[in-house]
Amino acid sequence: MSIFKETLRHVLRRKWKLLLAVFLCGVALVAVSEAYDVQGILDELQGIAESEGPPSGEQAGTAMRGAGVLLLMGALGFLFQVGTLMVAVLMPGGIVANERGSGAIMLWAQHPMSLTSFYLHRYLGIQGANLAVHALFALLSIMAVLPSGDPATGLPTQAVLSDLAQFSQVLLGGALACAISFAITALGLRRAAFFAIAYVFASGIVWGIVDPVAGFGVPLPEWLHGLLPFLIFPGNPIDDFVAGFVSGTDWNWKATGMVLYHFALWTAVAWLGLRRIEGKPLKL
């Protein structure tokens, strides 16, 4: 059996409990969104908020029930989103650094294939499993997403394109998070998943502080503001990239280039790390 297929099977065997937990969370989110008219609840709450005078007892009860449903959906959505990220960064499982620390890497050093090529082949198997499970998560995300626009005037093709954008967003985010985690372990650093999660969350915080549109707009030197997108996780470029799938939206080539740049960057980091470890497989 090829390295790719064996690695894919091994990863799915080891991570099935985590995958099942995230899947069940996604199913619960879909079930809640199907059981309740979430858009109707939002409209009701808005109507109560805009009504003159204090709300009646019936309106207060409706508001409490609606707020409870929205709180439940928010909690499930947060857990599902964090769970998909956890799956992506835990897929590599510190494969290079852990095997180097335990000495198991010397078993693979006897393989006729170079260590760099060997681990890159294993990474392809890991990424293949990661993309497969994230495709499933993306489908759950599409089923649970709130309707956008006016259903009475929305065209079927627009709905399909919107779903494609949502699907691509989940897939791209998961693939890049997995690539980052593998690159970190390829540098020989243990707890790669922790560093990858910290990097993703720190990137979101930094961009939320400096972004003039969606954040606080804290001023930075012009050169640093221009350099920042090349250093942090490209959450916004991914959003802009998938927006190009929606009908009537111009394709954002800058966002496309930024997404490709980050994949190339972390692939290069992984390759350089593996080349360094290949020269000195054991820590002496």
Side-chain angles (χ1 to χ4, degrees), residues 45-233:
L45 291 178
Q46 184 176 3
I48 293 173
E50 294 176 352
S51 62
E52 297 181 359
S56 64
E58 183 179 352
Q59 287 179 325
T62 300
M64 288 291 291
R65 288 191 297 272
V69 173
L70 294 180
L71 181 63
L72 177 60
M73 280 206 69
L76 288 173
F78 175 77
L79 290 175
F80 183 63
Q81 187 174 11
V82 172
T84 57
L85 175 62
M86 290 288 292
V87 168
V89 299
L90 287 172
M91 275 291 185
I95 181 174
V96 182
N98 291 345
E99 292 181 357
R100 188 188 187 201
S102 66
I105 195 171
M106 296 309 296
L107 295 174
W108 313 130
Q110 301 173 33
H111 198 277
M113 187 183 295
S114 69
L115 273 177
T116 300
S117 298
F118 180 77
Y119 275 111
L120 286 177
H121 274 74
R122 293 179 71 181
Y123 165 66
L124 290 177
I126 292 169
Q127 189 66 276
N130 179 60
L131 289 173
V133 297
H134 270 78
L136 179 60
F137 295 157
L139 292 176
L140 290 174
S141 178
I142 290 171
M143 294 171 65
V145 74
L146 293 176
S148 59
D150 184 2
T153 59
L155 297 175
T157 52
Q158 291 177 331
V160 171
L161 290 173
S162 179
D163 289 346
L164 178 60
Q166 177 76 7
F167 185 89
S168 303
Q169 185 178 36
V170 175
L171 220 60
L172 280 175
L176 185 55
C178 179
I180 293 170
S181 182
F182 177 76
I184 294 174
T185 189
L187 292 173
L189 299 175
R190 293 204 174 192
R191 298 179 179 85
F194 170 79
F195 288 113
I197 291 174
Y199 169 72
V200 173
F201 276 102
S203 297
I205 293 172
V206 169
W207 195 248
I209 293 174
V210 304
D211 185 15
V213 178
F216 293 100
V218 175
L220 288 177
E222 186 175 347
W223 66 270
L224 181 57
H225 196 277
L227 183 63
L228 203 58
F230 293 90
L231 302 177
I232 64 176
F233 186 83

